[in-house]
Amino acid sequence: MLFHRMHHVAIIVSDYERAKAFYVEKLGLPILRENYREERGDWKLDLQFGDGELEIFAIPGAPARPDHPEAQGLRHLAFRVDDVEQAVKELEEQGIPCEPIRLDTYTQRRFTFFHDPDGLPLELHE
């Protein structure tokens, strides 16, 4: 089997409008498609994420994410940036706190974490 690249990552959020404001207005991801799925009673928002897509689902009654950082499932979503310090500055100017910048001992690249409104860990990685 030959995989060319990742097509999309899908996440489920607790509040559609809050998630849309965070990912679109604060992080600046462009909207590709936005659909209310009446048969399911939920929203699906498709955002441009590099060469792929970030799918955001708002499903009524979905259980909350376990609050253990090492729980099974999606560990985090990483964004590649040219300059972690500049990206942190831009996020913090919008009221989005970031952890201290660290150095990946394997890649020798700088990285840090921040969280979306539902607590999903998001990483900035040079």
Side-chain angles (χ1 to χ4, degrees):
M1 186 175 299
L2 177 63
F3 298 112
H4 298 286
R5 61 182 171 85
M6 185 178 66
H7 183 269
H8 69 269
V9 172
I11 62 173
I12 298 172
V13 301
S14 64
D15 183 302
Y16 180 74
E17 292 301 328
R18 183 176 69 170
K20 181 179 174 185
F22 181 81
Y23 285 98
V24 174
E25 295 170 22
K26 291 189 175 187
L27 299 188
L29 299 180
I31 295 174
L32 296 172
R33 293 170 295 279
E34 181 176 21
N35 296 291
Y36 178 73
R37 302 183 313 172
E38 191 169 335
E39 70 281 3
R40 295 183 184 202
D42 69 4
W43 282 93
K44 182 175 184 287
L45 178 65
D46 299 323
L47 304 174
Q48 185 71 46
F49 181 61
D51 291 337
E53 297 180 21
L54 177 60
E55 291 181 342
I56 295 178
F57 293 89
I59 300 171
R65 174 184 169 83
D67 65 358
H68 320 5
E70 301 302 328
Q72 291 182 355
L74 179 67
R75 185 174 183 176
H76 62 265
L77 178 62
F79 297 91
R80 178 171 288 175
V81 296
D82 292 329
D83 184 336
V84 168
E85 287 180 29
Q86 180 62 35
V88 165
K89 180 182 175 195
E90 291 174 18
L91 289 173
E92 290 182 341
E93 286 173 353
Q94 295 187 65
I96 301 170
C98 296
E99 294 178 4
I101 296 171
R102 296 181 269 168
L103 184 68
D104 184 315
T105 56
Y106 296 105
T107 66
Q108 299 301 306
R109 304 278 188 199
R110 295 183 309 162
F111 70 99
T112 190
F113 285 92
F114 63 106
H115 295 86
D116 83 349
D118 286 307
L120 177 66
L122 302 173
E123 179 182 352
L124 298 174
H125 199 281
E126 283 183 339

